């Protein structure tokens, strides 16, 4: 019993973190140039493509496991997902191909985490902790890892890369997921849920590719945001109850990512403090429903990106808010707003990866491509600093988070079968 409770949480946290980190680490450095050049393969090396594939594969794993009413497909998917992520260490895979392979492997791991969680409260929080933790702290961990081979994708010629995750970490994670997947009870799945979230991920992909990528105008980008928000709300209404509220939380988190932190290799202590705040807030949220407060704080923190600063200065208020209040707000929201079924518990934390209109393509000043930005070699970067897009992007993100607050207020009726299947830790 103890192994089932704590083992499932450990497995979902590790699986979610490895999956999220693999997606982020596989992305190239020249995506902006590829999209502005209009190259045909630009849509297949983007963060949006990776998020779409991850959602699609996760849904597929859940569907197969529940159609067979057996945990065996989930155990196989865990092993295959880890192998696919590890492939670049054994097979010559180019940087532009690694975006796809890593997304496929990550999606398989997330799907297995969904089977293990089965809509249960604490393991579902584990999935969100792993995925959102990788989103929060990817740049901090990358700064600590030091320089690595650049992932250049502007040419279809091979530019081979290594595995995004150390092989030992992959082996341990796969072992945890396989062990817990074999012990999992396959419950809490609806084909209609899977079809809806799969369709939503496809809408995100189409909207980003044709309306809201990095080469789009501000008006087209805002139109893309409207379509994405309306589509998400429509799906949330169809999911009903806590699952719908959880989906809107995923949208709010995606919008709050419009501002991002730049970490240095000297910021390890800030990273440690933020991680403790994040985990502690999740624990508090599991015991008290503070979802509305969490989303209000999320909106306020997002708005700090509007504080005007000179080009030579750092947005101190925004930086501190994103280092302290942001992880607290995410943790409280994740702990408070728990889903009921496996689809919502595994796919919703993937929304910030599958909806990249905010953290990737929000309007910024025209980009200029140089080998150097003129900064001297002895220039010392801030320990942590906040990057924000143009004010229109931040304002739009704040409006979206505010809309999610109103969309999640009040109780919507839940199906009786959903309530009965949500029992357990």
């Amino acid at each position: 019993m103890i192994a089932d409770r704590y083992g499932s949480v450990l497995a979902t946290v590790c699986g979610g973190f490895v999956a999220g980190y693999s997606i982020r680490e596989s992305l190239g450095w020249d995506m902006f140039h590829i999209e502005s050049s209009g190259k045909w393969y630009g849509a297949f090396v983007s963060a949006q493509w990776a998020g779409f594939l991850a959602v699609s594969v996760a849904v597929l794993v859940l569907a197969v496991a529940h159609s067979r009413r057996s945990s065996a497909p989930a155990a196989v998917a865990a092993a295959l997902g880890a192998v696919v992520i590890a492939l670049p260490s054994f097979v010559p895979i180019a940087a532009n191909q690694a975006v796809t392979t890593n997304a496929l492997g990550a999606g398989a791991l997330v799907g297995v985490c969904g089977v293990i969680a089965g809509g249960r409260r604490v393991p579902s929080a584990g999935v969100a902790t792993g995925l959102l933790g990788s989103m929060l702290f990817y740049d901090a961990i990358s700064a600590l890892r030091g320089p690595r081979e650049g992932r250049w994708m502007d040419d279809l010629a091979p530019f081979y890369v290594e595995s995004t995750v150390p092989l030992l970490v992959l082996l341990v994670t796969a072992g945890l997921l396989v062990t817990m997947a074999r012990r999992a009870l396959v419950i809490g799945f609806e084909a209609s849920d899977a079809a809806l979230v799969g369709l939503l991920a496809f809408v995100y992909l189409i909207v980003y590719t044709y309306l809201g990528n990095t080469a789009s105008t501000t008006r087209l980008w805002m139109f893309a945001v409207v379509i994405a928000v309306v589509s998400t709300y429509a799906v949330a209404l169809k999911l009903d109850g806590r699952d719908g509220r959880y989906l809107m939380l995923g949208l709010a988190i995606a919008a709050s990512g419009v501002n991002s932190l730049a970490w240095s290799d000297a910021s390890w202590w800030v990273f440690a403090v933020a991680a403790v705040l994040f985990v502690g807030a999740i624990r508090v949220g599991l015991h008290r429903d503070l979802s509305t407060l969490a989303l209000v704080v999320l909106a306020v923190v997002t708005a700090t990106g509007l504080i005007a600063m000179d080009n030579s200065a750092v947005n101190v208020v925004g930086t501190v808010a994103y280092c302290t209040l942001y992880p607290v707000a995410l943790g409280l929201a994740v702990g408070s707003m728990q889903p009921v079924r496996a689809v919502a518990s595994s796919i919703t934390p993937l929304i910030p990866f599958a909806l990249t209109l905010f953290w990737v393509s929000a309007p910024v000043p025209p980009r200029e491509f140089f080998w150097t930005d003129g900064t001297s070699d002895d220039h010392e970067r801030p320990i942590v600093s906040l990057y924000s897009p143009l004010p229109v992007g931040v304002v739009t993100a704040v409006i979206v988070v505010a809309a999610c607050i109103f969309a999640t207020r009040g109780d919507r009726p839940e199906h009786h079968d959903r309530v009965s299947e949500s029992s357990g830790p």
Side-chain angles (χ1 to χ4, degrees):
M1 187 68 179
I2 295 179
D4 287 337
R5 179 170 185 173
Y6 295 103
S8 60
V9 175
L10 180 61
T12 53
V13 170
C14 292
F17 189 90
V18 168
Y21 190 87
S22 297
I23 294 175
R24 291 294 304 274
E25 181 72 5
S26 67
L27 302 175
W29 292 356
D30 48 0
M31 187 63 241
F32 304 128
H33 176 66
I34 293 174
E35 289 189 338
S36 62
S37 301
K39 297 188 176 181
W40 67 268
Y41 57 87
F44 303 103
V45 295
S46 66
Q48 187 66 62
W49 172 249
F52 166 72
L53 284 183
V55 170
S56 301
V57 174
V59 169
L60 179 62
V61 170
L62 287 168
V64 172
H66 287 81
S67 65
R68 297 295 184 88
R69 283 293 177 182
S70 169
S71 59
V76 173
L80 288 178
V83 168
V84 171
I85 294 175
L87 274 181
S89 293
F90 305 99
V91 179
I93 293 181
N96 40 47
Q97 299 168 333
V99 176
T100 297
T101 57
N102 275 276
L104 294 174
L109 297 186
V110 173
V112 175
C113 289
V115 173
I116 295 173
R120 293 180 297 161
R121 195 161 180 250
V122 178
S124 295
V127 182
T129 301
L131 281 168
L132 298 180
S134 68
M135 179 197 75
L136 270 174
F137 305 120
Y138 167 76
D139 290 326
I141 297 173
S142 294
L144 294 175
R145 288 187 62 185
R148 296 179 299 285
E149 183 181 6
R151 294 180 176 271
W152 303 105
M153 305 182 302
D154 189 33
D155 197 332
L156 288 178
F159 204 103
Y160 299 125
V161 293
E162 292 294 322
S163 172
T164 55
V165 179
L167 298 181
L168 179 60
V169 175
L170 277 174
L171 182 62
V172 172
T173 301
L176 278 171
L177 289 176
V178 169
T179 301
M180 298 313 303
R182 293 178 62 185
R183 301 168 65 96
L185 297 175
V186 185
I187 59 174
F189 178 82
E190 278 187 349
S192 59
D193 291 0
L196 285 171
V197 297
L199 178 61
L200 182 62
F202 182 70
V203 170
Y204 289 162
L205 177 65
I206 297 299
V207 165
Y208 175 88
T209 302
Y210 293 101
L211 295 175
N213 60 43
T214 58
S216 300
T217 64
T218 300
R219 289 185 177 181
L220 281 179
W221 178 82
M222 294 180 69
F223 183 46
V225 169
V226 170
I227 295 176
V229 171
V230 171
S231 301
T232 306
Y233 184 63
V235 172
L237 291 178
K238 292 293 184 181
L239 290 180
D240 236 351
R242 284 189 290 173
D243 287 357
R245 297 177 71 237
Y246 201 54
L247 187 66
M248 296 305 295
L249 168 63
L251 173 62
I253 294 173
S256 66
V258 72
N259 305 306
S260 62
L261 290 175
W263 303 76
S264 70
D265 54 4
S267 60
W268 62 268
W269 62 273
V270 182
F271 164 46
V273 170
V276 170
L277 291 174
F278 177 57
V279 175
I282 292 175
R283 184 172 181 83
V284 172
L286 286 171
H287 291 86
R288 296 188 62 186
D289 185 356
L290 300 173
S291 55
T292 301
L293 173 63
L295 289 175
V296 170
V297 174
L298 205 62
V300 173
V301 172
T302 305
T304 60
L306 291 171
I307 299 177
M309 302 296 292
D310 296 332
N311 292 333
S312 59
V314 177
N315 184 341
V316 177
V317 175
T319 300
V320 173
Y322 266 86
C323 288
T324 56
L325 294 179
Y326 191 55
V328 170
L330 290 190
L332 289 177
V334 167
S336 299
M337 300 176 65
Q338 284 303 305
V340 177
R341 291 189 179 273
V343 172
S345 67
S346 55
I347 302 304
T348 290
L350 268 176
I351 295 297
F353 296 89
L355 179 58
T356 65
L357 290 172
F358 297 97
W359 67 274
V360 171
S361 62
V364 296
R367 293 182 175 90
E368 296 180 354
F369 300 100
F370 298 101
W371 285 110
T372 176
D373 59 1
T375 304
S376 60
D377 294 337
D378 59 351
H379 172 74
E380 292 187 9
R381 293 172 49 200
I383 294 178
V384 187
S385 57
L386 186 70
Y387 288 169
S388 300
L390 292 175
V392 64
V394 180
V395 170
T396 302
V398 173
I399 293 174
V400 171
V401 178
C404 292
I405 296 174
F406 289 101
T408 56
R409 288 177 63 87
D411 295 326
R412 288 200 291 264
E414 300 180 27
H415 299 309
H416 293 294
D417 60 336
R418 292 177 182 240
V419 175
S420 64
E421 290 176 354
S422 67
S423 59

